[in-house]
Amino acid sequence: MAQAERFRKRLIAACVRAQNGRGRVGEDGRPRVDVAIIGAGATGVELSAELRNTAHVLSAYGLHQLDPRRDVHIHVIEAGPRILPALSERVSVETAKLLKKLDVDVLTSERVTEVTPLAVLTASGKHIDADLTVWAAGITAPPVLATLGLPVSRQGQIVVGPTLQSEGDPDIFAFGDCASCPWPEKQTTVPPRAQAAHQQATFLYNALRARLDGRPLPSFAFQDLGSLVSLGHFSAVGSLMGGLIGGSMFIEGLMARVMYTSLYRMHVMALHGAVGMALDTVSHWLRRKTSPRVKLH
Ligand SMILES: Cc1cc2nc3c(=O)[nH]c(=O)nc-3n(C[C@H](O)[C@H](O)[C@H](O)COP(=O)(O)OP(=O)(O)OC[C@H]3O[C@@H](n4cnc5c(N)ncnc54)[C@H](O)[C@@H]3O)c2cc1C
């Protein structure tokens, strides 16, 4: 929260400086603000679209000298050959097209080698101006896991087998983001996602009951239900998978946006029940009507 708050204040300060002619000026003589996001996974991509929206709102709230499209430059820098490397190529291609429409500068096959206070440098020698830089290039597990004497992955996750027992000690189970669990069908490990953590929690509940009853432990099989990437108020893109639709289905636009919002509502319902979810939805709707879209102070 503290980091997000610091980022918000610095973004507004950079835009106000640019508006008042105290910031940097581009070759075209116009004020400019540059934001560099390192990593084009779902986090980096979603942030870039949200920031484009924020720039529009800031402009509407009084920073009239600042043209949100021309003057606020958003760069997404990815080391791999395409954005959203963990998702299907189609989702990646369609998302790249939508980001282009939002004037987000997407750089692929560019490995960041240095971050200075005002720029990001890449291995190919590119120098990208950056008033603000956001690191969104993946996660690592808490360092404490590496001190437990159990085998850990490159990301510092506890290495577990298909029963979610750690490889170092069968009495220690791990699941969710802190576990590196095999995903044999894809010859990789289960991705660090909420849907995986949720499936593993349900699995583990049953597995631990089986163990207490002296029955053999079952094996965990991750079922990828698909992914949705939100592009702010503009759109969403994703793919749905599963037995119901008989494979994988690409979705985008309003339908994907509605599904993204519905997923959030389903999570609220799981936590607070149907009545709680309905009340939360009404309260959210009222707050949206009365609160500013961007907090300015
Ligand atoms: C920006 C962002 C967006 C994401 N969006 C999506 C998405 O759209 N869909 C999706 O499926 N997944 C998404 N994820 C991934 C998803 O949030 C995680 O996979 C999921 O939360 C993993 O659940 P978990 O319980 O393993 O870990 P967490 O949800 O991280 O919970 C671990 C908890 O343990 C606490 N903790 C850590 N160390 C200690 C300690 N030493 N002692 C006590 N407590 C400790 C932490 O504070 C935390 O509350 C996103 C992640 C990020 C960062």
Side-chain angles (χ1 to χ4, degrees), residues 43 142 175-177 192-195 197:
T43 305
F175 75 107
D177 281 7
R193 293 204 207 133
Q195 59 170 300

Side-chain angles (χ1 to χ4, degrees), residues 3 8 25 43 68 81-82 94 127 186 218 221 238 245 255 286 291:
Q3 291 178 357
R8 186 185 66 80
V25 175
T43 305
R82 64 178 174 93
E94 297 303 325
H127 174 287
K186 301 275 175 182
I245 52 170
M255 187 182 165
L286 286 173
S291 316

Side-chain angles (χ1 to χ4, degrees), residues 112-156:
V112 170
T113 50
E114 197 179 338
V115 178
T116 71
L118 282 177
V120 169
L121 313 181
T122 70
S124 73
K126 279 212 167 61
H127 174 287
I128 300 138
D129 288 327
D131 298 282
L132 285 103
T133 302
V134 185
W135 190 265
I139 58 148
T140 54
V144 67
L145 297 180
T147 67
L148 303 178
L150 299 169
V152 289
S153 68
R154 208 162 60 88
Q155 284 80 24

Side-chain angles (χ1 to χ4, degrees), residues 212-231:
L212 290 173
D213 293 345
R215 288 182 277 125
L217 284 172
S219 289
F220 174 73
F222 175 55
Q223 198 194 351
D224 189 357
L225 302 172
S227 305
L228 287 168
V229 179
S230 162
L231 297 174

Side-chain angles (χ1 to χ4, degrees), residues 40-56:
T43 305
V45 164
E46 290 195 354
L47 178 66
S48 68
E50 286 292 344
L51 286 180
R52 176 55 75 220
N53 181 53
T54 303
H56 278 278

